[in-house]
mmCIF file of all heavy atoms in Angstrom:
data_model
loop_
_atom_site.group_PDB
_atom_site.id
_atom_site.type_symbol
_atom_site.label_atom_id
_atom_site.label_comp_id
_atom_site.label_asym_id
_atom_site.label_seq_id
_atom_site.Cartn_x
_atom_site.Cartn_y
_atom_site.Cartn_z
ATOM 1 N N LEU A 324 -7.399 2.771 -9.742
ATOM 2 C CA LEU A 324 -6.886 2.108 -8.546
ATOM 3 C C LEU A 324 -7.841 1.023 -8.075
ATOM 4 O O LEU A 324 -8.978 1.305 -7.696
ATOM 5 C CB LEU A 324 -6.681 3.124 -7.402
ATOM 6 C CG LEU A 324 -5.499 4.084 -7.527
ATOM 7 C CD1 LEU A 324 -5.550 5.103 -6.415
ATOM 8 C CD2 LEU A 324 -4.184 3.320 -7.483
ATOM 9 N N GLU A 325 -7.400 -0.219 -8.101
ATOM 10 C CA GLU A 325 -8.196 -1.312 -7.577
ATOM 11 C C GLU A 325 -7.273 -2.501 -7.311
ATOM 12 O O GLU A 325 -6.404 -2.829 -8.110
ATOM 13 C CB GLU A 325 -9.321 -1.744 -8.522
ATOM 14 C CG GLU A 325 -10.154 -2.880 -7.969
ATOM 15 C CD GLU A 325 -11.294 -3.285 -8.873
ATOM 16 O OE1 GLU A 325 -11.218 -2.985 -10.089
ATOM 17 O OE2 GLU A 325 -12.262 -3.903 -8.375
ATOM 18 N N VAL A 326 -7.509 -3.163 -6.180
ATOM 19 C CA VAL A 326 -6.796 -4.394 -5.865
ATOM 20 C C VAL A 326 -7.871 -5.431 -5.492
ATOM 21 O O VAL A 326 -8.747 -5.181 -4.684
ATOM 22 C CB VAL A 326 -5.827 -4.215 -4.696
ATOM 23 C CG1 VAL A 326 -5.189 -5.557 -4.315
ATOM 24 C CG2 VAL A 326 -4.752 -3.210 -5.065
ATOM 25 N N VAL A 327 -7.775 -6.600 -6.094
ATOM 26 C CA VAL A 327 -8.726 -7.714 -5.857
ATOM 27 C C VAL A 327 -7.977 -8.844 -5.150
ATOM 28 O O VAL A 327 -6.856 -9.173 -5.510
ATOM 29 C CB VAL A 327 -9.322 -8.204 -7.164
ATOM 30 C CG1 VAL A 327 -10.170 -9.466 -6.932
ATOM 31 C CG2 VAL A 327 -10.165 -7.126 -7.821
ATOM 32 N N VAL A 328 -8.625 -9.370 -4.123
ATOM 33 C CA VAL A 328 -8.068 -10.550 -3.406
ATOM 34 C C VAL A 328 -9.048 -11.718 -3.560
ATOM 35 O O VAL A 328 -10.244 -11.554 -3.207
ATOM 36 C CB VAL A 328 -7.803 -10.248 -1.936
ATOM 37 C CG1 VAL A 328 -7.273 -11.498 -1.225
ATOM 38 C CG2 VAL A 328 -6.824 -9.099 -1.779
ATOM 39 N N ASN A 329 -8.567 -12.810 -4.091
ATOM 40 C CA ASN A 329 -9.412 -14.000 -4.276
ATOM 41 C C ASN A 329 -8.946 -15.102 -3.302
ATOM 42 O O ASN A 329 -7.745 -15.309 -3.134
ATOM 43 C CB ASN A 329 -9.291 -14.519 -5.688
ATOM 44 C CG ASN A 329 -9.759 -13.532 -6.732
ATOM 45 O OD1 ASN A 329 -10.831 -12.955 -6.602
ATOM 46 N ND2 ASN A 329 -8.966 -13.323 -7.773
ATOM 47 N N PHE A 330 -9.907 -15.803 -2.716
ATOM 48 C CA PHE A 330 -9.651 -16.990 -1.943
ATOM 49 C C PHE A 330 -10.018 -18.186 -2.814
ATOM 50 O O PHE A 330 -11.143 -18.291 -3.297
ATOM 51 C CB PHE A 330 -10.450 -17.013 -0.644
ATOM 52 C CG PHE A 330 -9.960 -16.011 0.371
ATOM 53 C CD1 PHE A 330 -10.433 -14.712 0.340
ATOM 54 C CD2 PHE A 330 -9.016 -16.347 1.303
ATOM 55 C CE1 PHE A 330 -9.990 -13.755 1.264
ATOM 56 C CE2 PHE A 330 -8.565 -15.428 2.230
ATOM 57 C CZ PHE A 330 -9.048 -14.131 2.210
ATOM 58 N N ILE A 331 -9.054 -19.095 -3.020
ATOM 59 C CA ILE A 331 -9.207 -20.189 -3.960
ATOM 60 C C ILE A 331 -9.015 -21.531 -3.231
ATOM 61 O O ILE A 331 -8.024 -21.702 -2.504
ATOM 62 C CB ILE A 331 -8.207 -20.084 -5.114
ATOM 63 C CG1 ILE A 331 -8.406 -18.734 -5.844
ATOM 64 C CG2 ILE A 331 -8.338 -21.231 -6.090
ATOM 65 C CD1 ILE A 331 -7.352 -18.452 -6.900
ATOM 66 N N ASP A 332 -9.918 -22.446 -3.488
ATOM 67 C CA ASP A 332 -9.795 -23.808 -2.940
ATOM 68 C C ASP A 332 -8.603 -24.491 -3.650
ATOM 69 O O ASP A 332 -8.568 -24.641 -4.856
ATOM 70 C CB ASP A 332 -11.083 -24.586 -3.221
ATOM 71 C CG ASP A 332 -11.104 -25.960 -2.558
ATOM 72 O OD1 ASP A 332 -10.023 -26.565 -2.439
ATOM 73 O OD2 ASP A 332 -12.194 -26.427 -2.197
ATOM 74 N N LYS A 333 -7.618 -24.893 -2.860
ATOM 75 C CA LYS A 333 -6.405 -25.475 -3.429
ATOM 76 C C LYS A 333 -6.660 -26.768 -4.186
ATOM 77 O O LYS A 333 -5.897 -27.142 -5.090
ATOM 78 C CB LYS A 333 -5.366 -25.729 -2.346
ATOM 79 C CG LYS A 333 -5.666 -26.898 -1.420
ATOM 80 C CD LYS A 333 -4.537 -27.141 -0.427
ATOM 81 C CE LYS A 333 -4.803 -28.392 0.436
ATOM 82 N NZ LYS A 333 -4.764 -29.638 -0.359
ATOM 83 N N ASP A 334 -7.740 -27.488 -3.832
ATOM 84 C CA ASP A 334 -8.015 -28.775 -4.444
ATOM 85 C C ASP A 334 -8.814 -28.653 -5.727
ATOM 86 O O ASP A 334 -8.661 -29.468 -6.645
ATOM 87 C CB ASP A 334 -8.763 -29.680 -3.481
ATOM 88 C CG ASP A 334 -7.916 -30.023 -2.260
ATOM 89 O OD1 ASP A 334 -6.718 -30.280 -2.424
ATOM 90 O OD2 ASP A 334 -8.447 -30.045 -1.133
ATOM 91 N N THR A 335 -9.691 -27.609 -5.835
ATOM 92 C CA THR A 335 -10.567 -27.506 -7.002
ATOM 93 C C THR A 335 -10.290 -26.285 -7.855
ATOM 94 O O THR A 335 -10.831 -26.150 -8.946
ATOM 95 C CB THR A 335 -12.029 -27.417 -6.541
ATOM 96 O OG1 THR A 335 -12.231 -26.226 -5.796
ATOM 97 C CG2 THR A 335 -12.413 -28.624 -5.670
ATOM 98 N N ASP A 336 -9.429 -25.363 -7.358
ATOM 99 C CA ASP A 336 -9.151 -24.090 -8.039
ATOM 100 C C ASP A 336 -10.383 -23.208 -8.140
ATOM 101 O O ASP A 336 -10.423 -22.285 -8.947
ATOM 102 C CB ASP A 336 -8.551 -24.312 -9.438
ATOM 103 C CG ASP A 336 -7.090 -24.728 -9.374
ATOM 104 O OD1 ASP A 336 -6.421 -24.396 -8.405
ATOM 105 O OD2 ASP A 336 -6.623 -25.366 -10.353
ATOM 106 N N GLU A 337 -11.391 -23.464 -7.315
ATOM 107 C CA GLU A 337 -12.598 -22.658 -7.310
ATOM 108 C C GLU A 337 -12.376 -21.388 -6.456
ATOM 109 O O GLU A 337 -11.883 -21.468 -5.335
ATOM 110 C CB GLU A 337 -13.757 -23.454 -6.716
ATOM 111 C CG GLU A 337 -15.006 -22.632 -6.510
ATOM 112 C CD GLU A 337 -15.996 -23.302 -5.582
ATOM 113 O OE1 GLU A 337 -15.671 -24.383 -5.043
ATOM 114 O OE2 GLU A 337 -17.095 -22.724 -5.374
ATOM 115 N N VAL A 338 -12.743 -20.250 -7.019
ATOM 116 C CA VAL A 338 -12.740 -18.999 -6.255
ATOM 117 C C VAL A 338 -14.017 -18.990 -5.422
ATOM 118 O O VAL A 338 -15.105 -18.836 -5.958
ATOM 119 C CB VAL A 338 -12.686 -17.766 -7.171
ATOM 120 C CG1 VAL A 338 -12.752 -16.493 -6.338
ATOM 121 C CG2 VAL A 338 -11.424 -17.775 -8.023
ATOM 122 N N PHE A 339 -13.890 -19.157 -4.115
ATOM 123 C CA PHE A 339 -15.089 -19.255 -3.277
ATOM 124 C C PHE A 339 -15.342 -17.978 -2.471
ATOM 125 O O PHE A 339 -16.385 -17.838 -1.824
ATOM 126 C CB PHE A 339 -15.000 -20.450 -2.327
ATOM 127 C CG PHE A 339 -13.898 -20.365 -1.311
ATOM 128 C CD1 PHE A 339 -14.108 -19.800 -0.050
ATOM 129 C CD2 PHE A 339 -12.637 -20.887 -1.571
ATOM 130 C CE1 PHE A 339 -13.105 -19.728 0.885
ATOM 131 C CE2 PHE A 339 -11.615 -20.812 -0.652
ATOM 132 C CZ PHE A 339 -11.863 -20.249 0.587
ATOM 133 N N GLN A 340 -14.402 -17.038 -2.550
ATOM 134 C CA GLN A 340 -14.585 -15.783 -1.823
ATOM 135 C C GLN A 340 -13.698 -14.753 -2.486
ATOM 136 O O GLN A 340 -12.557 -15.043 -2.889
ATOM 137 C CB GLN A 340 -14.181 -15.952 -0.361
ATOM 138 C CG GLN A 340 -14.592 -14.818 0.572
ATOM 139 C CD GLN A 340 -14.442 -15.241 2.018
ATOM 140 O OE1 GLN A 340 -15.135 -16.133 2.483
ATOM 141 N NE2 GLN A 340 -13.561 -14.582 2.717
ATOM 142 N N SER A 341 -14.216 -13.529 -2.672
ATOM 143 C CA SER A 341 -13.428 -12.515 -3.359
ATOM 144 C C SER A 341 -13.822 -11.135 -2.842
ATOM 145 O O SER A 341 -14.946 -10.912 -2.390
ATOM 146 C CB SER A 341 -13.700 -12.609 -4.872
ATOM 147 O OG SER A 341 -12.893 -11.681 -5.586
ATOM 148 N N GLY A 342 -12.863 -10.228 -2.891
ATOM 149 C CA GLY A 342 -13.139 -8.870 -2.459
ATOM 150 C C GLY A 342 -12.309 -7.863 -3.247
ATOM 151 O O GLY A 342 -11.291 -8.187 -3.841
ATOM 152 N N SER A 343 -12.777 -6.621 -3.298
ATOM 153 C CA SER A 343 -12.118 -5.547 -4.026
ATOM 154 C C SER A 343 -11.864 -4.377 -3.096
ATOM 155 O O SER A 343 -12.663 -4.076 -2.228
ATOM 156 C CB SER A 343 -12.994 -5.100 -5.210
ATOM 157 O OG SER A 343 -12.499 -3.878 -5.747
#
Side-chain angles (χ1 to χ4, degrees):
L324 286 174
E325 181 178 21
V326 176
V327 173
V328 178
N329 298 312
F330 288 87
I331 302 174
D332 186 327
K333 73 176 184 67
D334 295 320
T335 65
D336 283 335
E337 173 197 4
V338 177
F339 65 90
Q340 193 167 296
S341 183
S343 167

